[in-house]
């Protein structure tokens, strides 16, 4: 799993020096608030060395300790996007370690919709871009030339960008903005298929940018209902489930009717 230094390195690469001359040259004199040539990144000059990038309006969060590794999210993701089920084409990938022990035996690998998207910066054609309406990082499949620079540029392992070996283009989580086989509105203002179908409720959606660290997207979604079925709700697993259930619940009184 990437550590804090990996995130800092990626951020420095994306926020590398962009001089006023370089910025104007790239825009061809188009002015501020345009698109950086060859990257598709919506940006504007703040001062000589910094440019700002539009943030995504949505993020997926997971509870790695609540996940049952059933792969329902993966199957549903491919069904909504491709019309058939194939876990190898899922935009949310689960990795399983058969020799590992809970809670590190299963890992959810969802796109972080990075504030400094290395995948977008690496794309030579603008196929990997930032949606101007929602800020979601996504792929224009028709522009993809299959160079896989975006896959290599992703700072995470496994890469949050996948190669669609059936249709021959890069792909990634679009928060269900484009789901031709799912009759629901997706995107930050709609629904996400993986969130809707997870039987363990181990995936959720937020519009607030998570902390940019190795654990910022891994949250605790366990509540008193989790404790009722006999599981601790704290990350350390030290709080007895019986103490996690609200004490306000009234015990059922025995019936006095004959």
């Amino acid at each position: 799993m990437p550590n804090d230094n990996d995130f800092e390195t990626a951020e420095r690469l994306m926020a590398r020096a962009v001089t006023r001359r370089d910025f104007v040259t790239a825009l061809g004199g188009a002015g501020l608030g345009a698109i950086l040539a060859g990257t598709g990144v919506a940006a504007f000059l703040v001062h000589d060395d910094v440019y700002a990038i539009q943030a995504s309006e949505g993020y997926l969060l997971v509870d790695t300790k609540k996940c049952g590794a059933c792969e329902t999210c993966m199957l549903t993701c491919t069904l909504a996007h491709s019309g058939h089920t194939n876990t190898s084409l899922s935009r949310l990938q689960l990795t399983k370690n058969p020799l590992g022990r809970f809670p590190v035996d299963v890992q959810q690998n969802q796109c972080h919709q990075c504030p400094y998207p290395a995948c977008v910066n690496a794309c030579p054609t603008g196929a990997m871009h930032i949606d101007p309406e929602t800020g979601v990082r996504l792929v224009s499949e028709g522009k993809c030339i299959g160079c896989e620079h975006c896959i290599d540029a992703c700072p995470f392992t496994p890469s949050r960008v996948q190669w669609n070996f059936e249709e021959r283009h890069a792909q990634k989580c679009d928060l269900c903005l484009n789901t031709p086989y799912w009759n629901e509105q997706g995107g930050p203002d709609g629904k996400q298929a993986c969130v809707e179908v997870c039987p363990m409720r181990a995936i959720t959606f937020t519009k607030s940018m998570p902390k940019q660290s190795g654990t910022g997207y891994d949250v605790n979604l366990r509540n008193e209902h989790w404790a009722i079925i006999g599981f601790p709700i704290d990350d350390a697993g030290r709080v007895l489930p019986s103490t996690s259930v609200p004490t306000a619940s009234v015990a059922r009184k025995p019936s006095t009717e004959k």
Side-chain angles (χ1 to χ4, degrees), residues 198-253:
C198 179
M200 306 302 289
R201 296 295 184 262
I203 312 173
T204 190
F205 171 83
T206 181
K207 286 197 169 187
S208 300
M209 182 183 294
K211 180 181 178 182
Q212 297 303 302
S213 70
T215 58
Y217 290 73
D218 188 357
V219 296
N220 185 342
L221 300 177
R222 286 148 278 151
N223 54 24
E224 64 270 14
H225 303 292
W226 191 247
I228 288 174
I229 61 177
F231 293 100
I233 64 175
D234 64 309
D235 286 338
R238 296 174 180 172
V239 179
L240 295 177
S242 58
T243 65
S244 301
V245 180
T247 57
S249 58
V250 179
R252 180 181 300 176
K253 296 181 180 180

Side-chain angles (χ1 to χ4, degrees), residues 71-93 162 164-167 171 176 178-182 193-194 197:
E71 299 185 359
T72 302
C73 56
M74 298 175 66
L75 294 171
T76 303
C77 178
T78 60
L79 185 62
H81 286 91
S82 305
H84 63 279
T85 56
N86 186 335
T87 54
S88 297
L89 294 175
S90 174
R91 298 159 192 236
L92 167 66
Q93 289 287 326
Q162 304 89 32
N164 188 316
F165 55 87
E166 291 185 346
E167 301 177 2
Q171 66 173 32
C176 290
N178 181 23
T179 51
Y181 299 94
W182 189 38
C194 58
V197 302

Side-chain angles (χ1 to χ4, degrees), residues 19-250:
T19 66
R20 189 181 305 275
R21 179 179 178 182
D22 292 337
F23 187 86
V24 175
T25 300
L27 295 178
L32 304 184
I35 304 298
L36 286 181
T39 67
V41 179
F44 59 90
L45 189 64
V46 179
H47 57 70
D48 280 353
D49 297 323
V50 178
Y51 62 90
I53 301 175
Q54 180 182 354
S56 174
E57 294 181 6
Y59 307 85
L60 290 179
L61 306 179
V62 298
D63 187 339
T64 55
K65 297 179 178 65
K66 199 176 183 184
C67 173
C70 65
E71 299 185 359
T72 302
C73 56
M74 298 175 66
L75 294 171
T76 303
C77 178
T78 60
L79 185 62
H81 286 91
S82 305
H84 63 279
T85 56
N86 186 335
T87 54
S88 297
L89 294 175
S90 174
R91 298 159 192 236
L92 167 66
Q93 289 287 326
L94 299 181
T95 52
K96 304 177 183 180
N97 181 1
L99 301 179
R101 299 179 61 183
F102 176 85
V104 295
D105 55 334
V106 176
Q107 180 66 45
Q108 295 89 348
N109 304 296
Q110 83 278 30
C111 174
H112 285 194
Q113 303 293 338
C114 297
Y116 299 97
C119 59
V120 173
N121 187 57
C123 181
T125 67
M128 183 72 69
H129 66 286
I130 297 175
D131 180 57
E133 295 184 3
T134 65
V136 175
R137 286 77 169 116
L138 43 77
V139 182
S140 293
E141 300 169 0
K143 293 182 179 180
C144 179
I145 60 174
C147 66
E148 301 188 27
H149 289 342
C150 56
I151 298 175
D152 294 335
C154 180
F156 301 100
T157 303
S159 175
R160 284 6 181 210
V161 185
Q162 304 89 32
W163 175 249
N164 188 316
F165 55 87
E166 291 185 346
E167 301 177 2
R168 311 296 295 175
H169 60 74
Q171 66 173 32
K172 63 176 295 297
C173 174
D174 58 1
L175 296 177
C176 290
L177 267 178
N178 181 23
T179 51
Y181 299 94
W182 189 38
N183 191 25
E184 292 284 354
Q185 177 186 347
D189 292 324
K191 298 179 179 180
Q192 295 74 45
C194 58
V195 176
E196 293 295 309
V197 302
C198 179
M200 306 302 289
R201 296 295 184 262
I203 312 173
T204 190
F205 171 83
T206 181
K207 286 197 169 187
S208 300
M209 182 183 294
K211 180 181 178 182
Q212 297 303 302
S213 70
T215 58
Y217 290 73
D218 188 357
V219 296
N220 185 342
L221 300 177
R222 286 148 278 151
N223 54 24
E224 64 270 14
H225 303 292
W226 191 247
I228 288 174
I229 61 177
F231 293 100
I233 64 175
D234 64 309
D235 286 338
R238 296 174 180 172
V239 179
L240 295 177
S242 58
T243 65
S244 301
V245 180
T247 57
S249 58
V250 179

